[in-house]
Amino acid sequence: MLDTRNKKLLGTITLAALVAVTLVVAPYTLIEPINLPKLLTLAFLSIIMVSVIAPESKRLINSKYKHLFIILSLFIIQILIVLFFSGANILGQFYGTFGRNTGALAYLSLVVLLMSSALVSNKEFLTRFARVTLIVGAILIIYGVIQNQGLEPFPFSNLYAPLAPIGTFGNLDFQSAFMGIIAVFSFILSLNTNFKPYGRVLLIIMGFSSIVVIYQTTSKQGYLNLLAGLLVAAILWSFMTKRKSIGISVAFVGSAGGGLVFLGLFNVGPLANYLFNTSVVARGYYWRAALKMMTDHPFFGVGMDGFIDWYRRSRPTDYYENGFTTFSNTAHNVFLDVASSGGVPLLLIYCYIFALVIIAVVKVVKRNDGFDVHFVAMVGAWVAYQAQSLVSINQLGLAIWGWVLSGLIIGYEINTRDEKPERDVSVKNKQPQRKGKVVEQPLSSAALMRVFGGVILGALVAIPPYYVNASFFSALKSGDIEAIKTAAYLKPIDERRLLHVATIMRDSKMDSEAIAVIRDATMDYPNSFDFWQLWTSIPTAAPADIAAAKAQMKRLDPFNPDIK
């Protein structure tokens, strides 16, 4: 298994990934300044983690992590199967849809983060995790307030609510959801009697500050996350402190409240006036479309992050009849996103990982003699994340918290099963001093070379998409159409760049050049509605080509009465 130095290194990289992926943005260099840099940062650091974990893979199979390792390996295998057999564009699946970037690379990286978190999770690491979480939370609280005051330092804009904080997530719902997680974490940690009074007061202030930012976002997601997390924390506190009757009562009240919230989302019950709106109705269409994708493609799904290519033909037939004309590139439910992208096998494995977390929580609570505040804070934050994942998008800045928290909870249960034997082993390893040095030896020249190799490989994966995206952004600023076209064709090619350059050429009356780009694009992306629609808008396009493009539009959007 991993020795102390490898675990410390792995833990440090895990925390670095958590901070970097949450906070990184690239507003002045990329046409996609939010999600792409988060994906590339996540991929880069996860590959370095693989360089630390991979040499121990044989030992993991024969260790107490065997069950988790096998499940995560099955998840990876299914993603690879989907990548090659779903029929969708492989490169598009790998990096994911523009503006989301939750394709194969994202999920493979998140799996690595979960495994890494499980390996390093213990009481000492949870303390480090708590500090990092509070620092990130404080940064985004302050940044949210700055945005709310109209002092945004970056060229970000929110068309729907100009002063609503969007943090480093690019969306007010995501900022609200994250603040809900931070509020839960802060309030629970404030119960730690080992903290000095002023520290507990600061935590309470931080919790209420998070609620203020939730209010400023105008999004309800943060409130729902907060209530869900605190409710579960109250139940765990009751059982850990041997107040089972209170715990059962809270669980009953919570279940009833959850039921009312669920009914309210469907315009039923006393909470309907507060929860039901057109966005919820739209989500209902997204969810039904995702279910159809899963049932129509049960084994391989529609391809990783392929929701946008199949949504128009999978949504209910009454969509237009009820006055809805919007479309979506995500199911707005993480479970359904997984199901539509990777089919039933990927959904079942994802649900199994979810179940492993719940089982781990139950085991820790059963064997704990008192209130473990750090563990409960971690579980409360995980519940808050899961609450928003039922109605929202798998945004990478949020997703990384869900996967890391899952790994920490599972790993904490595994690593605290035999605390006394582990403590005895650590004492023995410290005696004599020379023996301790022998244990640390694996992180010497060979280990450093592996990490260096991970850095190189991570850079090879992360730099090319960053470079081509930055080159295209620079070309757009120059206004040189030839430079824009050249940058659009740089590899790895991205569907959105081709659409962008084709649109520019059409608007510049360069019809033949625009058609050439569209013709190339439809060869690789035949299920992209936007390219076929753009083709029909070019005045000099051949009638036969326009007719063929309309036929493709009808294939991709069969229930649209405006397509004839």
Side-chain angles (χ1 to χ4, degrees):
M1 287 307 301
L2 295 175
D3 64 274
T4 303
R5 290 182 63 183
N6 271 311
K7 280 191 175 182
K8 286 183 178 180
L9 175 62
L10 201 58
T12 299
I13 300 172
T14 301
L15 294 176
L18 201 59
V19 174
V21 174
T22 305
L23 299 180
V24 67
V25 290
Y28 298 106
T29 60
L30 303 177
I31 59 171
E32 212 298 38
I34 302 292
N35 293 289
L36 183 61
K38 292 184 186 301
L39 170 66
L40 301 182
T41 302
L42 173 64
F44 174 73
L45 292 172
S46 68
I47 290 173
I48 298 176
M49 293 179 197
V50 171
S51 71
V52 179
I53 298 173
E56 304 296 330
S57 57
K58 289 185 178 179
R59 293 184 183 181
L60 287 174
I61 295 175
N62 298 312
S63 71
K64 55 188 178 181
Y65 302 100
K66 176 181 178 179
H67 193 183
L68 178 63
F69 186 77
I70 291 174
I71 293 302
L72 295 182
S73 298
L74 291 175
F75 194 87
I76 291 172
I77 291 170
Q78 178 62 17
I79 287 177
L80 296 177
I81 290 173
V82 170
L83 195 64
F84 292 104
F85 294 101
S86 67
N89 182 279
I90 293 177
L91 195 61
Q93 289 187 80
F94 187 70
Y95 289 109
T97 300
F98 179 88
R100 297 298 180 208
N101 293 113
T102 46
L105 180 59
Y107 276 102
L108 293 174
S109 301
L110 290 171
V111 166
V112 174
L113 259 292
L114 193 154
M115 189 72 233
S116 174
S117 303
L119 290 171
V120 301
S121 184
N122 55 34
K123 292 183 178 179
E124 179 184 356
F125 186 80
L126 291 196
T127 302
R128 295 175 62 194
F129 171 79
R131 287 197 214 101
V132 167
T133 300
L134 294 174
I135 290 171
V136 173
I139 291 171
L140 286 173
I141 288 171
I142 295 170
Y143 185 30
V145 172
I146 290 173
Q147 290 176 323
N148 182 251
Q149 296 303 309
L151 302 174
E152 170 65 75
F154 301 123
F156 297 144
S157 61
N158 186 350
L159 299 177
Y160 302 104
L163 295 181
I166 59 175
T168 54
F169 305 103
N171 182 286
L172 55 88
D173 286 328
F174 305 150
Q175 173 76 353
S176 176
F178 187 74
M179 287 296 101
I181 294 172
I182 294 300
V184 170
F185 199 78
S186 301
F187 284 137
I188 297 175
L189 277 187
S190 70
L191 301 175
N192 192 341
T193 55
N194 292 326
F195 290 162
K196 294 181 179 179
Y198 73 85
R200 299 175 70 180
V201 170
L202 286 176
L203 286 169
I204 294 173
I205 292 173
M206 187 169 182
F208 281 110
S209 298
S210 301
I211 294 175
V212 170
V213 177
I214 293 173
Y215 173 78
Q216 292 172 343
T217 65
T218 70
S219 170
K220 299 183 179 70
Q221 285 190 24
Y223 298 124
L224 296 177
N225 298 0
L226 174 61
L227 290 174
L230 292 182
L231 178 68
V232 170
I235 294 171
L236 295 182
W237 171 83
S238 301
F239 280 94
M240 283 180 155
T241 56
K242 310 305 180 185
R243 297 175 173 88
K244 292 185 180 181
S245 58
I246 296 177
I248 293 172
S249 300
V250 173
F252 178 78
V253 172
S255 299
L260 290 176
V261 170
F262 179 79
L263 291 174
L265 292 174
F266 292 92
N267 201 23
V268 177
L271 300 180
N273 291 335
Y274 302 99
L275 299 176
F276 184 78
N277 53 42
T278 54
S279 68
V280 174
V281 177
R283 277 173 167 77
Y285 283 107
Y286 305 153
W287 298 341
R288 289 160 67 186
L291 288 171
K292 190 174 190 305
M293 292 178 205
M294 180 186 70
T295 54
D296 289 349
H297 307 84
F299 300 111
F300 308 125
V302 297
M304 300 305 299
D305 229 7
F307 188 92
I308 188 172
D309 287 340
W310 285 86
Y311 173 62
R312 289 180 174 87
R313 50 188 147 166
S314 301
R315 59 191 173 190
T317 56
D318 63 348
Y319 191 80
Y320 285 99
E321 295 174 11
N322 291 331
F324 286 91
T325 58
T326 59
F327 66 94
S328 177
N329 55 13
T330 172
H332 287 75
N333 177 294
V334 175
F335 288 87
L336 292 178
D337 263 330
V338 170
S340 60
S341 292
V344 174
L346 197 66
L347 174 64
L348 291 177
I349 300 170
Y350 185 78
C351 289
Y352 195 88
I353 295 170
F354 183 90
L356 286 180
V357 177
I358 296 176
I359 293 170
V361 172
V362 172
K363 286 183 176 180
V364 171
V365 170
K366 279 186 175 181
R367 69 172 180 242
N368 208 295
D369 293 330
F371 183 59
D372 188 336
V373 66
H374 281 89
F375 177 76
V376 174
M378 184 169 60
V379 175
W382 179 82
V383 170
Y385 166 79
Q386 296 299 337
Q388 70 84 34
S389 76
L390 297 176
V391 295
S392 193
I393 294 165
N394 204 22
Q395 206 270 352
L396 289 176
L398 282 172
I400 189 171
W401 290 86
W403 285 76
V404 167
L405 285 166
S406 296
L408 289 176
I409 294 170
I410 295 171
Y412 188 84
E413 187 280 318
I414 293 173
N415 296 327
T416 58
R417 286 175 186 171
D418 304 303
E419 284 191 321
K420 289 184 178 179
E422 286 183 1
R423 200 176 297 120
D424 292 339
V425 169
S426 63
V427 171
K428 291 178 182 178
N429 286 341
K430 292 179 182 178
Q431 299 176 357
Q433 191 74 14
R434 183 175 297 178
K435 191 172 183 179
K437 291 182 179 178
V438 172
V439 172
E440 295 177 351
Q441 185 62 34
L443 194 63
S444 58
S445 58
L448 289 174
M449 287 299 294
R450 285 194 295 269
V451 172
F452 181 72
V455 171
I456 298 298
L457 182 58
L460 291 175
V461 171
I463 290 177
Y466 184 93
Y467 170 76
V468 298
N469 200 279
S471 298
F472 190 67
F473 181 81
S474 178
L476 287 174
K477 288 196 298 182
S478 73
D480 185 338
I481 293 181
E482 284 303 316
I484 294 172
K485 181 180 179 180
T486 300
Y489 276 91
L490 290 174
K491 294 181 179 180
I493 291 177
D494 177 74
E495 176 184 351
R496 185 58 53 169
R497 293 202 315 272
L498 293 177
L499 182 65
H500 203 143
V501 71
T503 303
I504 291 173
M505 289 176 169
R506 181 204 60 182
D507 295 342
S508 302
K509 311 300 182 184
M510 300 172 62
D511 292 1
S512 59
E513 290 86 348
I515 290 173
V517 173
I518 295 171
R519 199 180 299 277
D520 289 341
T522 52
M523 293 292 290
D524 291 327
Y525 304 98
N527 292 324
S528 174
F529 183 88
D530 293 333
F531 283 117
W532 298 114
Q533 186 178 46
L534 182 61
W535 203 335
T536 65
S537 71
I538 298 177
T540 60
D545 288 339
I546 292 179
K550 286 185 176 180
Q552 292 292 339
M553 290 170 62
K554 194 64 176 177
R555 174 180 68 87
L556 297 173
D557 195 359
F559 310 118
N560 189 339
D562 297 328
I563 301 175
K564 299 177 181 178

